[in-house]
Amino acid sequence: MLETLRIVNLGAVDALDLDLEPGLTVLTGETGVGKTLLIEALHLVLGGNDRGVPVRVPSEPSRVEAVFSTVEGDELVLARERTSNGRLRALVDGGLSSAQVLSERAEPLCELHGQHEHQVLRAPGSARALLDRAFEIDDAEVRERRAQRRALEATRARLGGSEAERARRLELLQHEADEIDGVAPDGVDEVERLQAEAAAVSSILESKDALHGAARALDGDGDEASAAGLLVAALALVPRTLAAPRAQLTGLLEQARALSGELRHELEALEEDPERLDALNARIARLQALVRKHGAVLADVLARREALDAELVQLRADEARSKDLDDELARLARTLADAESAIRAERERAAVELGAAVTRRLPLLALPHARFEVLVEGDAGEQVQFLFAGTGAFEPAPLADTASGGELSRVMLALTLATRGDAGCVVFDEVDAGVGGKTARSLAACLAELAADRQVIVVTHLATVAAIAAHHLVVARAAGADGPAEVAVVRDSARVEEIARMLAGDPTDPVAIAHAEALLTEASAAG
């Protein structure tokens, strides 16, 4: 419950320290004295947005602080401060916090039902939570199955996309592997080994050409330009009488022919294989083409081939796993559909019951022709929305969009009574708008019923409601219309005078005083 509400420098309040009690508490006072300011202060401290409520002293900061007692017996202090430069900050147990965290901490403690101020309608999924809590609907199986489905779908997504995409990827990788296997590199140094062999084969061919040329230059088989041919020509020109020169020329000729013979013998000993050189060069070209495609050296090609093997193995395993996952998802879809159908049926039955229960209470709250319905949509009925029509002339529409402030508060009172929410403190503003006579008594009875097991705070203009309360607070201005607002607890004669004022506008009117005393006596007897 709400133990204490402190307000500093907000609206008409200079400083207010309000201690609150269990049961039904009413706040009354003349129009314009600041009763609604208390609702605005609660709106802020429960995590609501800043609606620009002015401060009494603009140069000073303002603060709202609420002290709650929890069902566990602990104390929780929530606060909102607006600095002198207009910034708003939240505090939980004295520490800085976000407005969202503050709102989450406050939500189970206090429900505020004022002019378009309803947490149960504002928070996503709260209408469903209220319906499930009121009718003890447990959708744990649906949530578990959906979580399993998300996990399986995420696992399948990590396997490389769709079946067609994996098939295309498998084909591409296998083609790349086949391309490398088609060349089949023999170790990381095969290119260097082949290049060395090619150089050797090429060297043999070059050596044969050189030896053949040298042999022809020495003795060109009748070639007059060869050494032997020139020596023969020279020998023919030297007279026979010059025996010594002729002997020397003859010796040189024999040496040239002998050397040419040796060179030809060496040439015959060399094995020429031009086809081998072509084969070597072709092999080197294929290997170098692989290197250009897969890296900088042949080691990169071999590393890529190993990586392809690993990826192909994984992809084939993923394909098999994907088929298993598809089977699992198909089985899960059937069990999930059954669970969703069962929960939706429960929520639809509960929606009918809740709609009827709230609608039955509306005539007692000055809404004789109103209709309240609960719309359930979604596979598991997870989309729950409250619908309302104030008269029979209109079809029910979203409650928060169609009901006036007074209608909204009264519908929320009926809804709270029908569902018995867990909040230890429930606050109503404008719940009595447009209500009087016999309906006022019904409204008072509903509030008293709600306050039997929780704290209920009501800002009211109805004497009938004020009389039935266990605690009565009066808001007034301390020094005329421009003075600060103050709150006082009224009892006994002071309470009689306040109720008389509410009845007749004059706290000293004898008839009003007698009526007020009768209301209090009646309320006391009923309690």
Side-chain angles (χ1 to χ4, degrees):
M1 62 170 276
L2 177 60
E3 300 279 354
T4 303
L5 180 66
R6 298 187 180 97
I7 306 173
V8 177
N9 191 32
L10 185 67
V13 173
D14 277 341
L16 175 65
D17 201 329
L18 185 62
D19 293 325
L20 296 160
E21 302 290 340
L24 178 59
T25 298
V26 294
L27 278 79
T28 66
E30 297 280 1
T31 300
V33 296
K35 299 186 299 297
T36 302
L37 174 65
L38 300 178
I39 302 300
E40 289 294 338
L42 276 172
H43 165 80
L44 278 175
V45 83
L46 295 177
N49 59 312
D50 187 355
R51 296 194 286 220
V53 177
V55 297
R56 285 190 65 81
V57 184
S59 61
E60 297 293 330
S62 61
R63 179 183 176 93
V64 181
E65 183 177 283
V67 181
F68 289 95
S69 59
T70 67
V71 293
E72 294 83 8
D74 299 324
E75 185 177 84
L76 178 67
V77 181
L78 306 179
R80 294 294 285 283
E81 291 183 346
R82 186 193 292 157
T83 62
S84 56
N85 61 9
R87 294 182 61 186
L88 195 65
R89 59 185 181 180
L91 298 99
V92 176
D93 282 338
L96 287 174
S97 175
S98 67
Q100 180 180 351
V101 170
L102 182 141
S103 178
E104 291 171 354
R105 297 293 300 275
E107 184 178 358
L109 300 174
C110 184
E111 292 180 5
L112 176 59
H113 304 306
Q115 178 76 15
H116 300 293
E117 187 55 61
H118 298 279
Q119 295 97 318
V120 73
L121 301 175
R122 188 173 63 242
S126 56
R128 181 188 68 240
L130 188 152
L131 184 70
D132 288 354
R133 182 181 65 245
F135 291 88
E136 298 182 347
I137 297 172
D138 185 2
D139 65 350
E141 183 180 359
V142 170
R143 288 184 281 108
E144 181 182 354
R145 298 297 185 196
R146 287 179 174 178
Q148 291 173 348
R149 181 177 63 184
R150 288 192 298 272
L152 289 175
E153 288 173 342
T155 301
R156 187 174 63 178
R158 290 193 295 270
L159 296 181
S162 67
E163 181 179 351
E165 289 170 337
R166 284 193 299 275
R168 285 193 295 271
R169 179 68 176 164
L170 185 63
E171 182 179 359
L172 178 64
L173 294 178
Q174 189 60 59
H175 174 76
E176 190 175 349
D178 291 344
E179 183 180 47
I180 295 175
D181 290 344
V183 178
D186 182 19
V188 297
D189 62 342
E190 184 183 1
V191 171
E192 289 77 6
R193 289 188 281 105
L194 293 178
Q195 287 174 333
E197 185 180 351
V201 172
S202 178
S203 175
I204 291 174
L205 295 177
E206 292 172 359
S207 297
K208 292 188 71 172
D209 290 342
L211 290 174
H212 182 70
R216 285 182 58 85
L218 289 171
D219 185 4
D221 295 326
D223 185 355
E224 294 179 356
S226 67
L230 293 174
L231 288 171
V232 169
L235 188 61
L237 294 173
V238 176
R240 292 183 179 276
T241 57
L242 299 176
R246 286 181 64 85
Q248 289 178 346
L249 286 173
T250 300
L252 289 174
L253 177 60
E254 290 175 353
Q255 289 179 6
R257 286 175 174 167
L259 182 57
S260 176
E262 290 178 13
L263 291 177
R264 292 181 189 281
H265 178 73
E266 292 291 340
L267 183 61
E268 290 174 359
L270 291 176
E271 295 184 2
E272 182 181 357
D273 192 356
E275 292 182 359
R276 174 58 179 166
L277 181 61
D278 291 341
L280 289 171
N281 288 332
R283 175 69 177 173
I284 292 170
R286 293 184 69 189
L287 290 169
Q288 288 176 333
L290 280 181
V291 170
R292 285 193 297 272
K293 188 171 182 179
H294 297 290
V297 293
L298 197 55
D300 296 332
V301 178
L302 296 174
R304 175 56 182 165
R305 183 62 184 86
E306 290 183 8
L308 285 170
D309 265 344
E311 193 170 355
L312 284 166
V313 168
Q314 184 62 53
L315 197 56
R316 292 187 181 102
D318 288 348
E319 184 65 21
R321 175 61 176 148
S322 178
K323 290 182 172 61
D324 292 340
L325 287 172
D326 287 340
D327 293 339
E328 289 183 55
L329 282 167
R331 289 192 296 271
L332 182 59
R334 291 190 291 270
T335 59
L336 175 58
D338 292 341
E340 288 175 336
S341 178
I343 290 297
R344 173 156 183 159
E346 283 190 60
R347 284 175 172 152
E348 287 175 341
R349 286 193 296 271
V352 173
E353 290 186 38
L354 181 59
V358 173
T359 299
R360 281 196 301 270
R361 288 184 178 271
L362 295 181
L364 302 176
L365 301 172
L367 295 170
H369 305 294
R371 284 182 292 162
F372 178 86
E373 296 179 3
V374 182
L375 177 64
V376 172
E377 296 178 311
D379 293 336
E382 63 271 31
Q383 300 165 21
V384 178
Q385 191 172 30
F386 295 147
L387 307 179
F388 175 78
T391 70
F394 299 99
E395 287 298 314
L399 173 62
D401 299 334
T402 58
S404 67
E407 289 174 334
L408 200 54
S409 288
R410 278 173 273 164
V411 170
M412 290 310 301
L413 172 57
L415 186 60
T416 304
L417 287 166
T419 59
R420 288 296 185 180
D422 295 331
C425 175
V426 185
V427 183
F428 291 98
D429 183 32
E430 294 194 17
V431 70
D432 56 5
V435 174
K438 182 179 179 182
T439 303
R441 292 179 179 273
S442 297
L443 173 61
C446 289
L447 290 168
E449 178 188 347
L450 183 62
D453 59 358
R454 73 198 61 214
Q455 182 186 51
V456 178
I457 302 171
V458 182
V459 177
T460 184
H461 295 280
L462 287 179
T464 307
V465 174
I468 204 169
H471 315 286
H472 192 154
L473 305 176
V474 176
V475 184
R477 294 296 180 100
D482 295 328
E486 295 182 350
V487 179
V489 179
V490 293
R491 299 183 180 90
D492 304 327
S493 61
R495 186 177 186 190
V496 172
E497 290 177 1
E498 172 62 13
I499 294 176
R501 182 202 62 77
M502 297 174 72
L503 288 167
D506 182 359
T508 63
D509 185 307
V511 175
I513 288 176
H515 191 184
E517 290 174 339
L519 286 175
L520 287 167
T521 300
E522 180 183 344
S524 178

